């Protein structure tokens, strides 16, 4: 029992210390929800991005792949490109192509899930995962397979907690008004700064 409690505690601490900045990103995403970019898309894509990070960490744990920090740091290019794309894109009209039939609705759902805005949630989650990977690889390597399975389960639960926290924080009146007014214009700059930070950390970090 003590061993399990220690494993759970270690997983919680590891998750919190490597995902504090994700709260801000999730808040920015939730502030942009609309008819084609829904809360479920954000949650699903955040889970997808995080489990890609877990998969990379498990490859390192298994000895099949250990990414140097400098290589992981190159992931910073992703949020920079996303930020530039959102900064200079021309916003399309959103009122014209409203699906009506069942087939059209399914197509619209698939399109929204695969849209650049929705996919950016997973992409930014992965790109922002340099610290996660650098922590999770040695963490997994120092624990048994059952312990690693417990940690991944705890991570999965905490992702849901993080998404809920990001969603609830956006609903505070003052914060909601600020994000409603400035959030869409702020997101590209946040992505660019985040990408530069990841690149610098990968190049000069220890």
């Amino acid at each position: 029992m003590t061993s399990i409690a220690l494993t759970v505690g270690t997983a919680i601490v590891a998750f919190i210390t490597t995902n504090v900045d994700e709260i801000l990103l999730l808040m920015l995403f939730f502030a942009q929800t609309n008819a084609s970019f829904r809360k479920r898309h954000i949650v699903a894509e955040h889970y997808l991005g995080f489990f890609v990070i877990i998969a990379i960490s498990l490859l390192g744990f298994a000895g099949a792949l250990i990414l140097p920090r400098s290589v992981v740091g190159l992931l910073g290019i992703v949020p920079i490109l996303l930020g530039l794309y959102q900064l200079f894109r021309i916003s399309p009209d959103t009122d014209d192509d409203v699906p009506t039939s069942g087939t059209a609705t399914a197509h619209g759902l698939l399109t929204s899930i695969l849209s650049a805005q929705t996919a950016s949630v997973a992409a930014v989650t992965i790109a922002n995962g340099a610290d996660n990977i650098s922590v999770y690889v040695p963490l997994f390597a120092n624990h048994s397979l059952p312990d690693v399975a417990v940690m991944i389960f705890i991570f999965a639960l905490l992702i849901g907690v993080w998404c809920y926290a990001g969603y609830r924080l956006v609903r505070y009146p003052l914060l909601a008004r600020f994000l409603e007014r400035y959030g869409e214009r702020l997101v590209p700059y946040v992505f660019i700064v985040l990408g530069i930070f990841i690149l610098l950390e990968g190049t000069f970090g220890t």
Side-chain angles (χ1 to χ4, degrees):
M1 182 64 70
T2 303
S3 177
I4 294 177
L6 182 60
T7 300
V8 170
T10 301
I12 292 173
V13 171
F15 182 90
I16 292 174
T17 55
T18 55
N19 289 279
V20 172
D21 53 345
E22 287 292 330
I23 290 289
L24 174 60
L25 294 175
L26 286 167
M27 288 169 60
L28 290 171
F29 282 127
F30 281 121
Q32 298 179 80
T33 54
N34 52 43
S36 61
F37 185 52
R38 301 181 182 275
K39 294 186 290 291
R40 65 174 180 269
H41 298 150
I42 297 172
V43 174
E45 291 288 328
H46 188 57
Y47 265 100
L48 174 62
F50 192 84
F51 278 109
V52 169
I53 292 172
I54 294 296
I56 295 172
S57 301
L58 286 173
L59 288 173
F61 161 70
L65 174 65
I66 298 179
L67 294 177
R69 189 176 182 87
S70 59
V71 174
V72 175
L74 292 177
L75 290 171
I77 294 172
V78 175
I80 291 175
L81 292 177
L82 286 170
L84 291 173
Y85 169 77
Q86 292 198 14
L87 193 61
F88 296 108
R89 71 179 176 177
I90 300 175
S91 300
D93 294 332
T94 56
D95 298 327
D96 297 336
D97 301 321
V98 179
T100 54
S101 67
T103 302
T105 301
H107 180 268
L109 177 61
L110 180 62
T111 301
S112 66
I113 292 175
L114 298 178
S115 68
Q117 187 179 29
T118 303
S120 67
V121 180
V124 169
T125 301
I126 295 168
N128 195 35
D131 287 342
N132 302 64
I133 294 171
S134 64
V135 169
Y136 298 163
V137 170
L139 179 67
F140 292 164
N142 285 300
H143 289 81
S144 64
L145 281 174
D147 285 345
V148 170
V150 170
M151 289 181 178
I152 293 174
F153 176 74
I154 297 300
F155 288 165
L157 293 179
L158 291 175
I159 293 170
V161 173
W162 242 233
C163 289
Y164 180 75
Y167 170 69
R168 294 300 301 178
L169 286 171
V170 170
R171 297 172 69 87
Y172 279 96
L174 289 176
L175 188 57
R177 284 197 294 270
F178 175 81
L179 290 175
E180 183 179 356
R181 185 171 182 179
Y182 301 108
E184 189 172 351
R185 283 179 285 177
L186 185 63
V187 167
Y189 298 102
V190 172
F191 284 179
I192 292 170
V193 171
L194 174 65
I196 293 172
F197 176 78
I198 292 171
L199 285 171
L200 291 176
E201 281 288 294
T203 304
F204 301 108
T206 56

